[in-house]
Amino acid sequence: MIVVVDYRAGNLTSVANALGHLGHAHRVTDSPADIAAADRIIFPGVGAAGDAMANLRELGLAAPIREAVTKGKPFLGICIGYQLLFESSAEGDTPCLGLLRGAVVRFPEGMRDELTGARLKVPEMGWNSVRFLRPHPVWRNVPEASEFYFVHSYYPVPEPDIAAGTTEYGVEFVSVVARDNLVAVQFHPEKSGRPGLKLLDDFCRWTP
């Protein structure tokens, strides 16, 4: 069973609808026991890091999430579910799950578009491309130059060895990481049309 983690961070309906469209049986749950019993886990979400971590602690979900990753279950982090995997976030000076080494930082002030010189708004909100740095089964069927939907003011700065894709928005940042059974993305594949659905589908079929 695919489990979609519900920790009051929103955006669950879009993920569940995408999985249903793809024909993958799934359960949206806030139960630690369901996470422990899951075959694979999707950890989505939007919102503030501090609130999200508080919800994880209150619901008793931090430990089973860590255990699931450690046990080698296929795991996909999305948006804030990507950022929370790191050691800390500058958003509210928040300690995070610490499953990946690195910190989450905010976009710098005063960023400008390299071509037009126009000031770039924060949060980044809209379509942007991802340059995948290495092959992986989760995006092997995603066409080159595909664009994905982003909504975020912060982004992780991970250890270089897990960086798997980059995106440019004023600065170049790591928008995809991969390590063993874990993949995580800054964008929303469930809102990214065919490329995003293909990535979700391939994750649901992936055996690390």
Side-chain angles (χ1 to χ4, degrees):
M1 174 66 70
I2 301 167
V3 159
V4 181
V5 181
D6 179 3
Y7 58 110
R8 305 170 189 161
N11 207 45
L12 302 177
T13 302
S14 296
V15 175
N17 287 345
L19 293 173
H21 174 77
L22 293 167
H24 294 294
H26 60 279
R27 178 178 298 161
V28 177
T29 182
D30 62 1
S31 164
D34 286 345
I35 293 172
D39 298 313
R40 63 186 66 234
I41 295 167
I42 298 178
F43 185 45
V46 294
D51 291 342
M53 283 302 304
N55 291 342
L56 287 173
R57 289 191 296 270
E58 180 183 340
L59 295 166
L61 300 180
I65 286 171
R66 290 189 184 101
E67 186 175 356
V69 173
T70 302
K71 285 185 172 180
K73 294 185 179 185
F75 188 99
L76 174 63
I78 297 172
C79 195
I80 193 70
Y82 167 40
Q83 296 177 10
L84 295 181
L85 300 175
F86 290 86
E87 294 168 301
S88 64
S89 174
E91 187 177 20
D93 194 23
T94 303
C96 297
L97 291 169
L99 283 161
L100 301 175
R101 295 186 64 183
V104 177
V105 302
R106 195 179 193 279
F107 279 118
E109 296 294 332
M111 296 188 304
R112 294 190 176 274
D113 184 279
E114 204 171 73
L115 295 177
T116 67
R119 182 180 287 271
L120 295 173
K121 295 180 180 179
V122 177
E124 177 187 16
M125 186 179 298
W127 296 86
N128 205 341
S129 60
V130 173
R131 181 172 68 93
F132 291 106
L133 303 178
R134 50 190 165 96
H136 193 284
V138 171
W139 51 83
R140 66 184 168 193
N141 293 311
V142 174
E144 288 188 24
S146 292
E147 292 197 336
F148 300 89
Y149 190 76
F150 289 80
V151 182
H152 64 122
S153 300
Y154 294 79
Y155 59 90
V157 181
E159 293 284 291
D161 62 323
I162 66 169
T166 61
T167 296
E168 290 191 15
Y169 187 75
V171 297
E172 184 179 64
F173 64 92
V174 176
S175 53
V176 185
V177 296
R179 188 189 70 187
D180 302 327
N181 57 300
L182 181 150
V183 170
V185 299
Q186 181 61 68
F187 53 84
H188 289 274
E190 75 281 4
K191 295 184 176 181
S192 296
R194 290 183 180 178
L197 290 175
K198 178 52 65 179
L199 187 147
L200 276 176
D201 190 40
D202 284 346
F203 167 76
C204 293
R205 300 174 188 277
W206 171 46
T207 300

